[in-house]
Amino acid sequence: MKEISKHYNPQEVEPKWREFWEKEGIYRFNPKAKGEIFSVDTPPPYVSADHLHAGHVMSYAQAEFVVRFKRMRGFNVYYPMGFDDNGLPTERFVEKKYKINRSKISRSEFIKLCLEETKKGSENYRKLWTLLGISVDWTKTYSTINKHCRRISQWSFIDLYKKEKIYRAKKPILWCTACRTAIAQADLEAEEKESNLVYIKVKVETGDEIVFATTRPELLPACMGISVHPNDKRYKKLIGKKITLPLTKKKITLTADVATDMKYGSGVVYYCSYGGGECIEWLSRHPEAKAIELVLPNGRFSKNGGSYEGMKVLEARKKIVEDLQKAGAIEKIEPIKHSVYVHERCGTDVEYIESEQWFIKLLESKKEFLKRGQELKWFPKTMKRIYDEWVENLKWDWCISRQRYFGVPFPVWHCAKCSEVILPDEKDLPVDPLEEQPRIKACPKCGAKVFLPEKDVFDTWQTSSLTPIISQKLMGDAATQKKLYPSSLRPQAFEIIRTWLFYTIVKSHYHHNHLPFANAMISGHGLDEQGRKISKRLGNYIPPEKIIEEYGADAMRYWATGATLGQSLRFNILEVKKGRRTTTKLWNVARFMAMHEKKPKLIANSDHLERADFWILEEMDKTIAEVTKNFENYTYAKAKDKIDDFFWSKLADYYVEFIKYRLFGEDKKSKDAAIRTLTTVFFNVIKMYAPIMPFVTEEIFQTFFKGAEKSKSIHLSGWPEEISASGGKAADISDFKEAIKAIDEIRKFKTEKGISLGIDIKSLKLKTKVNLKKYGDFLKKAGRVKKIT
RNA sequence: GGGCGCGUAGCUCAGUUGGUUAGAGCAUCUGUCUUACAAACAGAGGGUCAGAGGUUCGAGUCCUCUCGCGCCCACCA
């Protein structure tokens, strides 16, 4: 054995084991290995995040603790890693970073930049994950824009199209004028904004004047109708009468609509195409009204805007209010705060425009999705509510087409003559219709020979909702694939339940009619030390690399273990420091153990064990049982507390002190029993710590326990089992806690007298009631008192 | 507007099905270099369990209301 260093130094130790794990392929998946498969549907992070912080560490470490536990429990773990790179976040990141205007750069040039950036991003992640010792199999990786994923994503589209779960339609959709693309309901975010409620007066042909209130006066040129409640006494007599709108002088008919709230504002609503979802619904109830296209995809007014043509929405709002005021058509303006929908990626107010898009049907299957949610095992259970509420409140089918560049292309051509949808053969996937032509030479419907490529790309979730299948198909053979999907575990954060989790369930349900994963483990957020969200803008974080450099990856992970599922966790440097101290303490106990015995000797039989040995073994068994249970339930924070308590407060503070007199004494049998007990207990302690602190435990395993178990790494060794040595023929130690109380009393006595605990005192009269016949000798020697009465 | 969660020591949090005197870590104070560890150890002080009411022999724990914080959802123009 090489010389054992006095201090544990993570900066030296950690790189060594990183290299070892990589070289030896410790975490590599072997389909032929024994054990039940435990497959993880690892979240593929958006690689556009160039600033990784404690929150990222926390959310990825959670799956890692469980995975390492499962691996030691004998499961054959499949833990791949993916990166989500396509889609809006990346495009926006690239646009911002290079300050480019997407319309002034070619599609291929733009994609090239995106690919370069995402490569950097994924390397960032990989570097940090490797530093942290995240035990993924780096030979099993994917990126959502690579060929493998494009193929599966396009296959998914074709399969659902054939199953009639996908359709194309021209209808009012949600639109982001900044990103210039259609978006889905899941991409919306409600934001509280200040606005003005403008009360506008209109003339009725009877000579009456009525007033309606709106936050969107600029849509006046697209006004299609005005409604009141049929039972509203104020307006009943005016229903059916013509109204002349100010400015446009357009005439419309006042209609009755039960959806109108008599109590809100003036009880009069005006509808425009399209002020919001309610306008679309109103249109469906009033077939006589015709939609007017006002806001164009670029966010500017169309020629239907008359003199406002070409203005942006907010400009037009200002101008129209001014003009209305001049025309004397405004009764009053009330500043209000109300929530408006914005595009969550860019914060731009969402517009509703009419456009032709692709949709995956959701609304017709709500009940089935709710049922799937019920089948899924949620950790914590309460997270299911977020899912249920989302599904229940769905208002739109899933719009999957995006008018963007950096995404998986639709595998679709349109017949130039009859618009028939032409799909490629599945064996040709992935295809890029912009660069390829379909195999068929003529349209099967009309015989025309010209095909136009579909230019849209998929919503990024169209692809990432397939991660369990993408992961599964990274393995070549069908027999293995079958075991990998559905996945055993989906770990993820709560804020993407309505997107990633929901969409994945949708896909799996439609494609294979089962759940995509059996268990969902939902994490909360990592917050800063004051409880604020960690963000680049606030700069309220220390880069994890810095923390790791100073305290070690184990210490960083130690903090992350403190998270309770579904709850936010504040970053706490003190916890990191405690983690660092724990590594030091572990190292010191290891050195102490090795001082007395070079080779690890575990308990072989219980013949010479003494009461203190039985006591610590019993405590160990209790700890193993509790820690195991907690890891099983994903409550690793509690598991950590239990291990800490046992290790610091029972093993280090008491047991080690209890056996010093035996280790330095003459009684060989007693010494042997003590060292075997210590070795056994400590071995199990480092095994229990292994999922949390893989580096220090590996170092101790390789330095001190080589030979105790033949596995190549502690992370492939077996999880501790209760040895129940204190049961059966073992001595009765139910009164051992009295002895501990007596020890406490001795310690207190010395402390209060200012005497070092290591100094022998002549005599002490104990107040604690304890069986001196049984424990007198032990108390004298362990407590260093010559005479006890 | 509806729903969920939280509020326990100066700080960060544990407190399982209601049951002796409410716990831990950090911080504070006192002592100790004890043949693993001063990055440690031994000890001490510190709490109207957000507030009010109720159920009960007994409430941090169950019920009702109030206040404060966080989050999710909701087309109110």
Side-chain angles (χ1 to χ4, degrees):
Chain A
M1 195 186 287
K2 69 179 168 70
E3 203 185 321
I4 294 161
S5 74
K6 198 171 172 199
H7 298 286
Y8 178 73
N9 184 357
Q11 289 79 4
E12 275 170 34
V13 170
E14 292 183 355
K16 185 172 69 187
W17 298 119
R18 265 177 215 125
E19 219 170 281
F20 173 80
W21 296 332
E22 175 66 28
K23 206 179 88 210
E24 298 291 323
I26 298 296
Y27 310 123
R28 215 161 287 168
F29 176 65
N30 174 7
K32 294 197 182 79
K34 276 191 223 153
E36 195 185 320
I37 298 248
F38 185 82
S39 56
V40 184
D41 183 14
T42 321
Y46 265 132
V47 291
S48 61
D50 63 341
H51 55 293
L52 300 179
H53 53 64
H56 296 100
V57 171
M58 177 193 135
S59 57
Y60 276 81
Q62 59 152 353
E64 155 77 355
F65 302 134
V66 171
V67 162
R68 283 187 181 271
F69 167 72
K70 292 284 180 187
R71 196 180 282 119
M72 290 175 77
R73 288 284 270 178
F75 284 87
N76 188 13
V77 168
Y78 182 61
Y79 191 15
M81 185 69 207
F83 295 103
D84 197 3
D85 40 22
N86 73 80
L88 268 178
T90 305
E91 291 195 27
R92 287 191 54 78
F93 179 76
V94 167
E95 282 171 345
K96 248 166 111 181
K97 179 163 176 180
Y98 294 97
K99 296 193 175 66
I100 48 175
N101 185 334
R102 198 172 48 113
S103 58
K104 297 204 176 99
I105 180 170
S106 80
R107 177 165 172 157
S108 59
E109 271 177 281
F110 186 70
I111 289 178
K112 206 178 131 203
L113 279 178
C114 288
L115 282 170
E116 272 170 31
E117 279 309 310
T118 55
K119 201 175 161 208
K120 280 186 215 160
S122 61
E123 274 163 11
N124 251 347
Y125 265 100
R126 181 170 178 152
K127 234 195 271 168
L128 180 58
W129 286 178
T130 308
L131 266 182
L132 276 167
I134 304 277
S135 65
V136 300
D137 179 350
W138 288 105
T139 67
K140 297 285 170 283
T141 59
Y142 62 84
S143 100
T144 51
I145 196 66
N146 74 11
K147 204 172 169 186
H148 177 72
C149 293
R150 292 202 311 272
R151 182 188 302 124
I152 291 168
S153 187
Q154 292 187 340
W155 159 82
S156 165
F157 174 85
I158 292 171
D159 190 51
L160 295 187
Y161 185 78
K162 288 178 178 165
K163 286 180 169 144
E164 295 184 358
K165 295 297 178 193
I166 286 184
Y167 65 96
R168 191 172 189 232
K170 187 169 181 184
K171 59 177 181 180
I173 49 124
L174 298 162
W175 183 267
C176 176
T177 55
C179 302
R180 294 197 191 174
T181 180
I183 56 174
Q185 189 182 348
D187 305 319
L188 297 180
E189 200 172 63
E191 201 173 285
E192 193 75 4
K193 284 198 176 181
E194 303 206 345
S195 182
N196 289 316
L197 191 58
V198 182
Y199 287 77
I200 298 174
K201 298 185 276 195
V202 289
K203 293 234 157 51
V204 189
E205 57 179 325
T206 55
D208 295 272
E209 192 177 76
I210 59 173
V211 175
F212 63 87
T214 178
T215 51
R216 302 210 58 186
E218 75 278 14
L219 296 179
L220 194 70
C223 178
M224 311 163 299
I226 295 185
S227 288
V228 292
H229 196 277
N231 298 337
D232 196 325
K233 284 177 194 152
R234 292 171 291 180
Y235 308 115
K236 218 167 176 173
K237 58 179 194 298
L238 300 176
I239 293 168
K241 298 283 187 272
K242 287 264 183 268
I243 289 172
T244 308
L245 295 174
L247 303 183
T248 63
K249 303 294 173 210
K250 195 180 151 189
K251 286 190 169 31
I252 51 167
T253 310
L254 184 71
T255 53
D257 195 294
V258 286
T260 311
D261 185 346
M262 288 188 267
K263 293 190 197 90
Y264 188 90
S266 56
V268 182
V269 197
Y270 97 129
Y271 297 97
C272 311
S273 43
Y274 304 94
E278 70 280 1
C279 296
I280 295 162
E281 279 172 29
W282 184 87
L283 256 178
S284 68
R285 288 194 303 270
H286 297 265
E288 77 281 1
K290 240 187 111 194
I292 298 159
E293 183 187 53
L294 182 62
V295 181
L296 294 170
N298 62 9
R300 290 180 187 276
F301 273 22
S302 73
K303 61 178 189 302
N304 290 330
S307 59
Y308 308 100
E309 181 183 355
M311 287 188 187
K312 286 193 166 183
V313 171
L314 290 179
E315 288 173 56
R317 182 177 302 173
K318 214 176 143 200
K319 190 76 181 34
I320 283 191
V321 170
E322 277 173 25
D323 292 349
L324 283 170
Q325 230 143 11
K326 275 182 209 153
I330 290 186
E331 189 189 66
K332 58 175 173 174
I333 297 176
E334 227 173 65
I336 56 160
K337 260 191 166 178
H338 69 156
S339 78
V340 291
Y341 278 131
V342 298
H343 182 203
E344 66 156 359
R345 294 292 170 195
C346 64
T348 310
D349 287 16
V350 161
E351 293 294 339
Y352 300 78
I353 70 167
E354 194 158 288
S355 167
E356 189 160 33
Q357 303 289 340
W358 292 92
F359 299 88
I360 291 180
K361 294 179 185 174
L362 299 180
L363 301 178
E364 63 177 27
S365 304
K366 278 188 184 189
K367 274 190 186 148
E368 292 157 50
F369 299 144
L370 288 170
K371 230 173 94 193
R372 291 286 176 222
Q374 221 149 17
E375 286 168 33
L376 182 63
K377 283 195 198 115
W378 296 81
F379 296 90
K381 285 198 186 84
T382 50
M383 287 296 167
K384 179 172 170 289
R385 183 170 283 276
I386 296 181
Y387 176 88
D388 288 343
E389 276 185 9
W390 179 253
V391 176
E392 279 161 12
N393 288 312
L394 276 171
K395 296 272 185 305
W396 304 72
D397 281 335
W398 177 12
C399 175
I400 54 165
S401 42
R402 298 287 180 274
Q403 289 66 54
R404 298 291 300 193
Y405 285 175
F406 190 49
V408 178
F410 275 71
V412 167
W413 294 268
H414 303 280
C415 171
K417 200 173 158 200
C418 73
S419 299
E420 175 73 357
V421 169
I422 312 291
L423 298 173
D425 290 352
E426 277 184 32
K427 63 177 192 302
D428 293 331
L429 299 180
V431 298
D432 185 349
L434 280 175
E435 291 174 11
E436 299 163 54
Q437 280 292 307
R439 276 176 189 269
I440 54 164
K441 296 288 175 247
C443 172
K445 203 171 157 194
C446 73
K449 289 180 178 157
V450 180
F451 305 110
L452 302 173
E454 170 65 67
K455 287 183 189 152
D456 289 355
V457 296
F458 288 145
D459 173 14
T460 183
W461 297 112
Q462 150 70 15
T463 308
S464 40
S465 57
L466 296 161
T467 50
I469 302 169
I470 289 169
S471 297
Q472 169 204 32
K473 304 262 189 221
L474 288 172
M475 295 303 299
D477 69 295
T480 308
Q481 284 184 6
K482 215 176 156 190
K483 293 186 217 160
L484 296 176
Y485 171 71
S487 306
S488 317
L489 179 67
R490 154 64 69 90
Q492 67 160 80
F494 69 90
E495 76 268 27
I496 51 175
I497 287 176
R498 68 183 197 184
T499 49
W500 194 37
L501 193 141
F502 171 62
Y503 287 148
T504 312
I505 288 181
V506 169
K507 286 294 186 74
S508 195
H509 177 72
Y510 281 161
H511 286 305
H512 303 109
N513 200 28
H514 58 60
L515 276 176
F517 32 74
N519 301 285
M521 176 183 173
I522 311 292
S523 69
H525 266 138
L527 304 175
D528 77 353
E529 299 204 64
Q530 282 80 45
R532 295 172 304 176
K533 207 170 162 175
I534 302 176
S535 77
K536 191 180 182 181
R537 192 174 51 81
L538 287 171
N540 55 346
Y541 63 97
I542 310 165
E545 292 85 353
K546 281 256 170 66
I547 297 166
I548 293 170
E549 198 184 306
E550 192 170 351
Y551 302 102
D554 281 337
M556 183 80 206
R557 294 171 60 110
Y558 184 90
W559 160 74
T561 320
T564 304
L565 282 188
Q567 284 185 23
S568 54
L569 177 72
R570 291 185 181 195
F571 180 70
N572 188 347
I573 195 70
L574 291 172
E575 274 299 295
V576 177
K577 286 181 180 169
K578 195 184 164 198
R580 175 76 178 93
R581 290 207 311 276
T582 305
T583 60
T584 305
K585 189 87 173 172
L586 283 166
W587 186 247
N588 282 322
V589 172
R591 285 174 52 230
F592 176 75
M593 181 187 79
M595 244 171 68
H596 301 281
E597 192 59 61
K598 291 283 177 250
K599 279 185 190 157
K601 284 201 285 188
L602 303 177
I603 292 175
N605 55 63
S606 58
D607 286 354
H608 302 289
L609 296 188
E610 298 179 16
R611 289 193 183 91
D613 306 332
F614 287 121
W615 169 75
I616 195 70
L617 288 168
E618 188 182 270
E619 292 293 333
M620 180 190 79
D621 278 1
K622 277 194 262 177
T623 306
I624 292 172
E626 277 172 349
V627 170
T628 305
K629 192 184 85 193
N630 279 309
F631 268 121
E632 291 285 4
N633 295 332
Y634 308 137
T635 47
Y636 40 81
K638 276 185 192 154
K640 182 192 75 168
D641 284 347
K642 298 282 178 198
I643 311 169
D644 277 349
D645 182 59
F646 176 71
F647 171 59
W648 285 87
S649 311
K650 305 268 164 55
L651 181 62
D653 292 348
Y654 282 116
Y655 185 72
V656 166
E657 297 302 323
F658 289 170
I659 60 170
K660 276 183 180 168
Y661 76 90
R662 290 159 65 188
L663 297 177
F664 294 103
E666 299 303 317
D667 185 340
K668 285 233 168 65
K669 280 180 182 169
S670 176
K671 179 177 172 173
D672 185 64
I675 193 72
R676 280 177 187 274
T677 305
L678 174 65
T679 308
T680 304
V681 171
F682 184 58
F683 192 28
N684 284 333
V685 165
I686 64 159
K687 278 168 174 252
M688 285 190 279
Y689 269 130
I692 299 168
M693 301 195 285
F695 294 96
V696 67
T697 51
E698 184 78 301
E699 173 75 4
I700 291 171
F701 177 78
Q702 302 285 355
T703 312
F704 302 101
F705 289 99
K706 233 16 201 326
E709 206 170 312
K710 62 180 178 213
S711 49
K712 222 192 274 181
S713 157
I714 190 171
H715 305 299
L716 299 178
S717 76
W719 185 251
E721 278 170 33
E722 297 158 62
I723 67 164
S724 298
S726 49
K729 60 180 177 173
D732 177 19
I733 48 140
S734 57
D735 53 359
F736 195 81
K737 55 180 181 288
E738 310 296 334
I740 289 179
K741 264 191 201 160
I743 290 284
D744 288 342
E745 192 187 330
I746 296 167
R747 286 176 172 180
K748 191 169 175 180
F749 177 82
K750 288 187 180 179
T751 299
E752 280 170 357
K753 292 269 185 301
I755 302 168
S756 163
L757 294 177
I759 287 171
D760 283 285
I761 54 171
K762 276 182 192 161
S763 68
L764 182 71
K765 190 168 163 37
L766 280 178
K767 286 179 204 125
T768 309
K769 274 190 186 157
V770 58
N771 185 343
L772 283 177
K773 226 174 175 178
K774 210 166 160 185
Y775 293 110
D777 198 46
F778 167 73
L779 291 177
K780 279 193 274 181
K781 285 172 173 161
R784 304 188 193 193
V785 184
K786 291 226 166 70
K787 197 178 160 205
I788 291 180
T789 49

